[in-house]
Amino acid sequence: MPLKKYYDQAYGWVNERIDVDGIIGFMRHKEVPISTHSIWYYFGGISLFLFLVQVTSGILLLMYYRPGPESSYESLQFLVSKVHFGWLVRDLHSWSANLMVLCVFIHMFSVFFMKSYRKPREMTWMSGMVLLGLCLGFGFSGYLLPWNELSFFATKVGTDMAGSLPAVGDFIVRVIRGGPDVTGATLSRFFGIHVAVLPGIFTLVLAFHLFLLQRQGMSQPLSWDKLPAGEKKTMPFFPNFVLRELMFWMFALAVINALAVFFPWELGVKADPFASAPAGIKPEWYFMFMFQTLKFLPPTIGSIEGELVGLAVFSLGGLLWLTLPLWDRWTGTDAAKARYISWIGVAIVGFIIVMTMIGYALS
Amino acid sequence: MPQDPNSGRRQFLNYILGGGSLTFLASIFYPVLKFLTPPAANDAAVTAVDAGKSDDFPNDSGKIIKFGSKPALVIRDKAGEFKAFIAVCSHLDCTVQYLAKDRVIWCACHNGKYDLNGINISGPPPRPLLPLKVNIQQGTIFISKEA
Ligand code: FES
């Protein structure tokens, strides 16, 4: 068959120069552990896939979106009502963004509970945490872009929190907002951050995260410590694991498509800086637990503003979480101590779920 | 151990190199940081605005008007008295509104409440609203910053 011949020729040409066989051989020899927890190994990959969906749909949205207080909302209205499949692209972007955050959280907690962050994978954990932070930055900056009432006030509240920091607070708020208030200047900044700054940094950190993964291979389940070598079952990374992963990707694509079709995102009411905040202001669901916690804080604790105390506690928690692999070493091989850490994780997950539910119940 | 005859010179060069690199970085980051700091708006210019005819305000109602770059809330209470505030919640910057049902100034963002003197009475707001002065001249309401 001539086609096959051309393919072989082209492959041979490239292979001769960069040794593709070598790469494939390397991937075939990479082993992925098979255990009862195997399912969790796929969530990092699914997050990666959703990121690719974000990039693709985001680039498409850029063709029509015009940032500005007089054009953002209008351009999206045009996009969803006039442009062929405009609604689909926008809904895919929103849904896959939300699902990506969810998958990243699942990925993080599965790594946490399987204790895969331990030596030598400390840098993988920390770069993952940076990626999570960037994801949340994507979410926060993207939320404002439709310039509707909800996102306008959510952004006011979110950015004003930085204002409670002593001394530098006002300055930081001004730099984030591009002025003392949330205005078109804020929209320009958020747009630039959302489509240029964050994607650039994210891609670099992601590359590092994946590089570490390739260098070190996947971590083995804890239960394997006691298993004799013969009973440790693995599968080759390529093609077995890759094909399974692809199957999950197809499944994820089907899910976001279905969500986009059956649960489209409302565009809402256009933001008006000279209107009172409407009832029902809420942030994206993944900020809900923080939002709700801050609501429960009294205006002042001692002589300090409640917000500031809340922020300090969340920042400290975040820092401890980020540096987990460094201080978790005190547990050593002591299983009882290690279980403490897991219980802390359970408590955190519980807290997040309960606060999120309360937040929605009360709003 | 004999001293390296060049060590003094080497150290000197290291200082030059290190200092030069720092200056180089500063010469890049300083303008960038300054660039990102928005220039101060001439907000102070607005001291008084015309809020419209007093007849347009029914008793027991409130309205948001523009006060420079900020929203202001003008309230006419049950007795027909006028009050005005900068409508920015002292909690996290949302725009407040008059809630006739409860006779309070209400912030929807976190359910903060102020009385009709702008004093925070419940919810998260830590401070009162910023009051404005109301002047009525021949049926027109003027609101201005309190001196
Ligand atoms: S912003 Fe007004 S109560 Fe929070």
Side-chain angles (χ1 to χ4, degrees), chain A residues 103-156:
Chain A
C103 286
V104 167
F105 268 110
I106 295 176
H107 177 51
M108 176 180 81
F109 280 113
S110 61
V111 167
F112 175 84
F113 286 116
M114 291 194 277
K115 303 209 182 291
S116 316
Y117 54 82
R118 287 181 169 177
K119 192 182 170 197
R121 295 187 175 76
E122 298 95 325
M123 286 193 290
T124 320
W125 169 266
M126 289 194 250
S127 58
M129 290 298 293
V130 173
L131 289 173
L132 171 68
L134 292 170
C135 269
L136 297 180
F138 268 118
F140 186 66
S141 56
Y143 196 49
L144 179 68
L145 299 185
W147 197 247
N148 59 28
E149 244 179 1
L150 286 187
S151 68
F152 176 78
F153 283 106
T155 305
K156 252 173 158 334

Side-chain angles (χ1 to χ4, degrees), chain A residues 246-264:
Chain A
L246 279 179
M247 198 181 72
F248 276 101
W249 288 19
M250 289 303 108
F251 181 68
L253 187 61
V255 170
I256 51 176
N257 259 307
L259 287 169
V261 170
F262 293 112
F263 303 97

Side-chain angles (χ1 to χ4, degrees), chain A residues 169-186:
Chain A
D170 282 336
F171 174 74
I172 294 183
V173 173
R174 246 158 56 83
V175 170
I176 303 176
R177 288 181 175 177
D181 297 300
V182 174
T183 57
T186 319

